[in-house]
Amino acid sequence: MGAVKNLLRGFIYTAIYAVTTIIIPLVTFSWLFQMTVQGFPLDFEQQEYQNILFWVTAFGLVICGCAFFSHSSPKQSIRKAVFALIQVIVNCLYIWSYRFSGATDVQFTIVGYGFFSLDVQQMVLIYMGIYFLTIVIKMYDIIDFTVNREKIRENRMKA
Amino acid sequence: MILQATDFFQVLADIIGAIVTFVSPFVTPIGQWMTDWITIVIGFLQQNFSGNLTLFIVIFVILIILSMVINIIWPGDRPGSIFSKEKVEDFEDKIELREGKGIIDEIRRCKDCGNPIGDAETCSLCGARN
């Protein structure tokens, strides 16, 4: 029964991550490339549209796999902590892949009017700093779960 | 509608701006270091695995299957597994020991008459100080 419950939880979280890390970005980018402002089409100057889609999908898949592993593991287990850490690290790669693809410094041209650019690189830097703190917390979790392993398992068996 | 809410967005932007400005000196250098190593890793991935999703799909499938197998063997809500019978016995012993102690044994009693006294210092039955 426990295994079924764990797997169900894993599948639910995988679905959530699939939507947030793959489907929503893909739909957003597709919509962005077809957007028009007051009837004028946006000429997206980034030629690496395919590149963005590729890395979003690639890292999204790995994040979904790690999310399944992490969320289907028992609470306070070492394997949960390890895969949560891996997931955070892959998440960093995922976010930075947007920058690498040019998505953090995008220039839009509105035909007949000019252009505007969107530079969120500084925001991504701050986000990365916060992610570092998350990595530290996840590492602490691994140490905590390893040191108190016997105690955690005893409590889990009693429950 | 959005234009009417300009003031609200301005206040919101000011608040977010203040928070970002405050944390920026501490967090940005760490973020810079993070981006340095991430850039190297992504550079490596782009050089070697760009344009081929197969590897990532394989990783995804392996993680799912591995997780399912591990969960079936070690679901976490029952002690140990078919691979760790010794540990199962250890846990069962420990749980039995704890259960054997019982709540009655943990009640404080008077040293003289054995009457349960709880947290009281004086026995209500014989008046002895404990």
Side-chain angles (χ1 to χ4, degrees):
Chain A
M1 188 61 199
V4 176
K5 201 176 154 188
N6 287 346
L7 292 175
L8 187 69
R9 198 172 52 223
F11 278 119
I12 291 168
Y13 274 95
T14 308
I16 292 169
Y17 275 98
V19 170
T20 53
T21 61
I22 302 174
I23 296 170
I24 290 177
L26 290 188
V27 171
T28 309
F29 276 114
S30 303
W31 173 73
L32 210 63
F33 283 95
Q34 294 164 1
M35 200 168 74
T36 56
V37 177
Q38 292 180 342
F40 294 103
L42 281 177
D43 180 19
F44 196 71
E45 290 201 350
Q46 273 300 333
Q47 295 301 312
E48 299 192 353
Y49 175 60
Q50 292 299 326
N51 199 20
I52 296 170
L53 296 189
F54 173 79
W55 287 110
V56 164
T57 314
F59 287 128
L61 279 171
V62 181
I63 288 170
C64 287
C66 290
F68 183 82
F69 208 117
S70 170
H71 290 282
S72 64
S73 304
K75 281 179 186 172
Q76 294 184 306
S77 61
I78 297 170
R79 66 177 192 255
K80 187 186 186 80
V82 169
F83 275 89
L85 175 66
I86 295 170
Q87 194 190 329
V88 172
I89 292 168
V90 178
N91 243 324
C92 292
L93 297 173
Y94 174 81
I95 290 162
W96 199 236
S97 71
Y98 280 103
R99 184 254 172 203
F100 231 69
S101 313
T104 57
D105 188 11
V106 186
Q107 202 169 71
F108 296 96
T109 305
I110 303 173
V111 180
Y113 277 91
F115 68 90
F116 70 92
S117 63
L118 197 66
D119 185 2
V120 289
Q121 202 164 321
Q122 185 64 26
M123 208 172 80
V124 173
L125 275 184
I126 292 170
Y127 203 66
M128 282 295 168
I130 295 165
Y131 251 85
F132 173 78
L133 301 177
T134 314
I135 289 173
V136 172
I137 292 168
K138 297 292 177 193
M139 281 177 170
Y140 171 79
D141 276 351
I142 294 175
I143 296 165
D144 181 31
F145 298 162
T146 310
V147 171
N148 298 310
R149 191 161 179 250
E150 296 295 306
K151 206 173 161 185
I152 289 165
R153 290 179 80 177
E154 276 175 41
N155 288 336
R156 203 188 295 151
M157 297 309 147
K158 274 200 299 181
Chain B
M1 187 68 184
I2 292 172
L3 289 173
Q4 284 172 347
T6 310
D7 290 343
F8 167 75
F9 283 121
Q10 186 61 54
V11 172
L12 194 69
D14 287 345
I15 292 168
I16 293 169
I19 294 168
V20 168
T21 312
F22 177 72
V23 297
S24 183
F26 316 105
V27 179
T28 306
I30 303 171
Q32 190 64 54
W33 174 76
M34 289 282 288
T35 53
D36 287 346
W37 71 259
I38 290 168
T39 305
I40 295 167
V41 174
I42 289 188
F44 172 78
L45 289 173
Q46 281 201 324
Q47 271 184 347
N48 296 291
F49 304 106
S50 192
N52 189 6
L53 266 181
T54 315
L55 173 80
F56 301 97
I57 294 168
V58 167
I59 292 171
F60 174 72
V61 171
I62 287 174
L63 282 172
I64 300 282
I65 292 170
L66 199 66
S67 176
M68 288 171 97
V69 171
I70 289 173
N71 262 299
I72 289 163
I73 300 170
W74 292 285
D77 63 347
R78 59 171 190 265
S81 69
I82 50 171
F83 297 117
S84 56
K85 280 187 178 170
E86 287 172 14
K87 290 199 170 182
V88 175
E89 284 161 12
D90 282 353
F91 276 120
E92 280 171 354
D93 289 347
K94 278 183 183 175
I95 291 162
E96 274 171 19
L97 267 174
R98 291 200 169 189
E99 282 171 355
K101 227 179 170 184
I103 196 161
I104 294 164
D105 298 330
E106 288 172 10
I107 295 171
R108 215 166 132 245
R109 289 175 180 277
C110 175
K111 283 187 282 186
D112 291 350
C113 65
N115 181 46
I117 56 167
D119 295 332
E121 287 189 6
T122 316
C123 176
S124 57
L125 192 67
C126 66
R129 288 181 69 82
N130 286 272

